[in-house]
Amino acid sequence: MEEQALVIALVGVLGIGAQWVAWRTGWPAIVLMLAAGFLAGPVLGIMDPESAFGDLLEPMISIGVALILFEGGLSLDFREFRKYGGGVWRLVVFGVPLGWFFGSLAGYYVAGLVWPVAILFAGILVVTGPTVVIPLLRQSAVQQRPAALLKWEAIVNDPFGALCAVIAYEYFRSTATGGGTAYDVVPEIAIAAGISGLIGFAAAYVIAWSFPRGLVPEFLKVPVLLVAVVGTFVLCNKIEHEAGLLAVTVMGIALANMHVSSLRSIHPFKQNIAVLLVSGIFILLSAGLDIEQLRQFEWQFGLFLLALLFLVRPATVLLSLLFSDVPWNERLFLAWIAPRGIVLVAICGLFALRLEDLGYADGTILVGLSFAVVVTTIVAHGFTVDLVARLLKVKGFSRPGMLIVGCTPWTVALAKQMHDLDTPVMIVDSSWQRLKPARAAGLPTYHGEILNEATEHNIDLTPYQALIAATDNEAYNTLVCSEFAPEIGTDRVYQLGESEPDDDHRAIPASLRGRSLFRSGFGVDDVQQRQNEGWVFRRTKLSDKFNVDDARETLPEATSMLLLIEPDGEMRFFTHASAPEPEPGDTIISYSPPRTKTPEEQAAKRAGKGGQKPKPA
């Protein structure tokens, strides 16, 4: 009991600790988690998951993978598919069999595996995995189309990779025991997969029908959903091995496109669950590695990894997208990016034991080889994705951007300043008429309701680091900030107006509001009044010889500092709660009253007017 508690605690500390270090450093989180688990398990011997959990380890990991795929399915919207569906369809229909074929050739001729093991392993290799692809895309800020293609491929191909492995295993098992043929195996598995998909859709329909009708109370919705996912996965696995992965993926995609409003409240929870599961599973799998398996690693396997990176993946993608409307630079980017993750390792661990039971000695090295594939692809793609995206011109904005909700004279003036500094900026408003000044100023705009779910499929929100809600409705600004806080970050959503004390029952709670802009907490009416008085935005560049105190002396007395922009484009705001420390090289954006002319300037102006020649009549 104590050993199990220790392992659970270590898994949490190492997994979340690795995620935090990845956030601070920008390194791939999966690599850090694999390294942490490997050090804690085989190297230092601090934890042994197999000894602690025994036979429960495999079902724990399988259910965790199922929940991760379900969560990934919830992020797939058919409105996005309608824009990029041609490429997605090709990567699934053509990409899976082509990847399986080329991977089998590489496994047999390069790695030296026997044909059954090479074919089964190649089937699993068609997966990429949302657990590694989505963080990679978030880290690199890739343009919308290649990011969408990689995301759809990662989530949809995962269950198909598992089914490819099942087909290969069942075929070799039947031939070893009774001389079965592919015609005996494939139709049976295809029917099982079809039934599993229908069960997953039916489960999604029941959830979508019952939740809005109040048949499930709010506090039970998350538990009911989790139990439904696990139950669907286990039931379909009884029909056919690994068919449950297909069922839960279909269930997630179906729920995402039934647009159940009551599911929006669980999105932050499901994201937290996904982070915990990804961290835990990678730590458990890497901590359970056997050093003896790794010692079986031969030089041919190194060549196999190179073939996987530079031959198998490029050939699969380029042939799949042949004659498509995907531009060549995006095809080449897709041909390079294919990191593998949890599903590959988990499924390999399952089939390694089964192949060994069938008498295939190469089956025992699949676990070590799968970890080598995961580490190699994550390191190769994780540390080069920015460079390759930049070279192929598929990278989004490199500087952090600002999303402004509400088009007013104040927001247009702010957006002009940011645009002049080459900071990505966009003004969003539901009124076409209100957006007219922004369009006239040549600023990027979006005409639509920011709270509408369709917005995220019409505009790419990834370049924007900060959101400012500045409409003339404070309650609406608060709603926008609370809606986007889980996605952008609670410390990166801002609104005008100072938060009221929590004991004021007439005020909007501070916990719902965004951060208040300006140290003085200007409200909507305040900035409108100041705009009418001629207040303007000014920018001041600091240096070693001109610091923030010097800047304050040159600006009008009532000036309020809004934000500073660091040389790399990072934005830090002056709010009611905190103020950043400006440093040399930073640019300060301030909001200032019009300059009052000195007596000397006024006298010079009067003298200039007096010296003018009278205009001819």
Side-chain angles (χ1 to χ4, degrees):
M1 186 69 177
E2 292 182 359
E3 183 185 4
Q4 293 172 340
L6 175 62
V7 170
I8 293 173
L10 281 174
V11 166
V13 171
L14 294 175
I16 301 304
Q19 295 266 18
W20 183 85
V21 172
W23 169 72
R24 292 293 297 179
T25 61
W27 295 350
I30 305 298
V31 175
L32 296 175
M33 288 186 285
L34 288 175
F38 186 71
L39 286 173
V43 176
L44 300 177
I46 300 174
M47 58 187 289
D48 184 357
E50 193 167 346
S51 171
F53 299 110
D55 294 338
L56 289 176
L57 183 61
E58 183 182 317
M60 284 169 53
I61 292 175
S62 297
I63 290 174
V65 171
L67 290 171
I68 290 169
L69 286 182
F70 171 74
E71 192 272 339
L74 284 176
S75 67
L76 299 183
D77 195 302
F78 283 138
R79 285 173 292 196
E80 186 178 58
F81 182 80
R82 281 193 286 270
K83 292 175 67 176
Y84 312 116
V88 174
W89 179 81
R90 286 170 171 270
L91 288 173
V92 174
V93 175
F94 298 138
V96 169
L98 284 172
W100 194 2
F101 173 72
F102 292 131
S104 300
L105 294 179
Y108 179 75
Y109 289 107
V110 180
L113 302 174
V114 296
W115 271 118
V117 176
I119 293 173
L120 187 144
F121 189 47
I124 307 174
L125 284 176
V126 302
V127 308
T128 48
T131 57
V132 286
V133 168
I134 292 176
L136 205 64
L137 296 175
R138 191 182 301 120
Q139 165 194 333
S140 58
V142 177
Q143 290 175 4
Q144 198 168 9
R145 177 164 48 191
L149 291 176
L150 285 171
K151 182 181 74 172
W152 274 84
E153 180 197 22
I155 296 171
V156 174
N157 278 8
D158 265 15
F160 285 113
L163 288 176
C164 289
V166 171
I167 291 172
Y169 171 76
E170 291 296 336
Y171 171 74
F172 293 121
R173 184 180 65 82
S174 63
T175 54
T177 56
T181 64
Y183 294 105
D184 300 322
V185 174
V186 174
E188 180 181 338
I189 295 177
I191 292 172
I195 294 173
S196 299
L198 290 175
I199 292 174
F201 181 83
Y205 182 83
V206 171
I207 294 292
W209 182 85
S210 60
F211 276 21
R213 288 168 172 77
L215 297 180
V216 180
E218 198 66 32
F219 73 96
L220 281 180
K221 284 182 178 177
V222 171
V224 166
L225 188 61
L226 289 178
V227 170
V229 173
V230 174
T232 301
F233 172 71
V234 173
L235 173 62
C236 294
N237 267 4
K238 292 291 185 182
I239 299 174
E240 183 59 64
H241 294 300
E242 307 308 319
L245 295 179
L246 176 64
V248 296
T249 303
V250 170
M251 182 179 176
I253 296 174
L255 265 179
N257 291 278
M258 291 175 182
H259 305 296
V260 183
S261 58
S262 57
L263 286 179
R264 291 178 62 86
S265 60
I266 72 167
H267 281 194
F269 176 82
K270 75 179 180 64
Q271 291 171 349
N272 294 335
I273 285 291
V275 169
L276 289 171
L277 289 172
V278 169
S279 305
I281 291 176
F282 265 102
I283 295 294
L284 287 172
L285 289 173
S286 55
L289 268 177
D290 188 349
I291 293 290
E292 292 301 321
Q293 291 178 341
L294 297 180
R295 286 174 180 161
Q296 300 177 23
F297 202 87
E298 300 178 4
W299 65 270
Q300 297 100 317
F301 297 158
L303 293 179
F304 171 75
L305 296 175
L306 293 176
L308 203 62
L309 290 173
F310 297 104
L311 295 177
V312 175
R313 174 66 178 180
T316 299
V317 171
L318 296 179
L319 287 175
S320 299
L321 297 179
L322 204 60
F323 306 117
S324 71
D325 59 353
V326 179
W328 271 102
N329 61 328
E330 295 182 8
R331 296 187 204 183
L332 293 173
F333 178 75
L334 296 172
W336 173 243
I337 302 299
R340 270 64 169 195
I342 285 177
V343 176
L344 172 66
V345 177
I347 297 176
C348 279
L350 174 66
F351 283 103
L353 299 175
R354 297 180 182 177
L355 287 172
E356 189 177 4
D357 293 338
L358 291 180
Y360 296 111
D362 286 350
T364 58
I365 64 174
L366 281 190
V367 175
L369 189 55
S370 66
F371 267 101
V373 170
V374 169
V375 173
T376 301
T377 55
I378 289 175
V379 170
H381 301 142
F383 288 108
T384 62
V385 60
D386 270 329
L387 175 63
V388 174
R390 199 176 301 112
L391 291 175
L392 294 175
K393 299 180 180 180
V394 298
K395 191 169 176 60
F397 293 106
S398 57
R399 291 172 65 87
M402 177 187 293
L403 186 67
I404 302 175
V405 181
C407 189
T408 66
W410 184 81
T411 59
V412 171
L414 173 59
K416 284 181 181 177
Q417 285 288 332
M418 305 308 295
H419 192 262
D420 290 343
L421 290 170
D422 294 326
T423 296
V425 63
M426 177 177 286
I427 299 179
V428 180
D429 202 300
S430 58
S431 169
W432 181 258
Q433 185 63 29
R434 283 197 296 265
L435 285 171
K436 184 177 179 180
R439 293 195 303 271
L443 298 170
T445 62
Y446 175 74
H447 176 221
E449 173 53 62
I450 191 67
L451 296 175
N452 194 311
E453 286 187 18
T455 298
E456 63 181 288
H457 303 291
N458 294 326
I459 59 175
D460 184 11
L461 299 178
T462 53
Y464 303 107
Q465 178 200 55
L467 179 143
I468 295 178
T471 71
D472 55 4
N473 187 323
E474 185 182 6
Y476 177 79
N477 294 339
T478 300
L479 179 61
V480 170
C481 288
S482 62
E483 179 71 18
F484 281 86
E487 181 177 349
I488 297 178
T490 54
D491 57 339
R492 294 187 175 183
V493 290
Y494 305 90
Q495 68 180 94
L496 291 169
E498 188 172 7
S499 59
E500 302 294 336
D502 290 336
D503 55 0
D504 186 353
H505 67 277
R506 295 165 299 179
I508 297 175
S511 59
L512 296 179
R513 293 173 49 89
R515 298 281 182 101
S516 295
L517 293 171
F518 299 108
R519 297 287 288 170
S520 54
F522 287 164
V524 175
D525 294 336
D526 296 324
V527 297
Q528 287 180 348
Q529 178 184 345
R530 284 163 174 76
Q531 281 292 120
N532 294 334
E533 293 172 357
W535 282 48
V536 294
F537 285 100
R538 306 182 194 276
R539 60 177 182 265
T540 308
K541 183 70 176 288
L542 303 183
S543 66
D544 293 325
K545 298 181 180 179
F546 188 80
N547 59 28
V548 65
D549 294 327
D550 299 326
R552 286 193 176 100
E553 291 179 3
T554 62
L555 293 170
E557 185 176 349
T559 295
S560 292
M561 293 186 178
L562 175 62
L563 77 152
L564 66 81
I565 304 177
E566 297 177 351
D568 62 355
E570 187 78 14
M571 293 178 289
R572 294 193 289 159
F573 286 78
F574 294 85
T575 70
H576 70 293
S578 64
E581 291 292 333
E583 297 179 357
D586 294 343
T587 299
I588 295 179
I589 304 295
S590 55
Y591 192 47
S592 305
R595 293 183 184 275
T596 302
K597 296 186 184 301
T598 64
E600 292 80 5
E601 290 174 332
Q602 293 175 356
K605 183 176 180 180
R606 284 194 299 270
K609 286 183 177 180
Q612 287 179 351
K613 295 181 180 179
K615 295 181 180 179

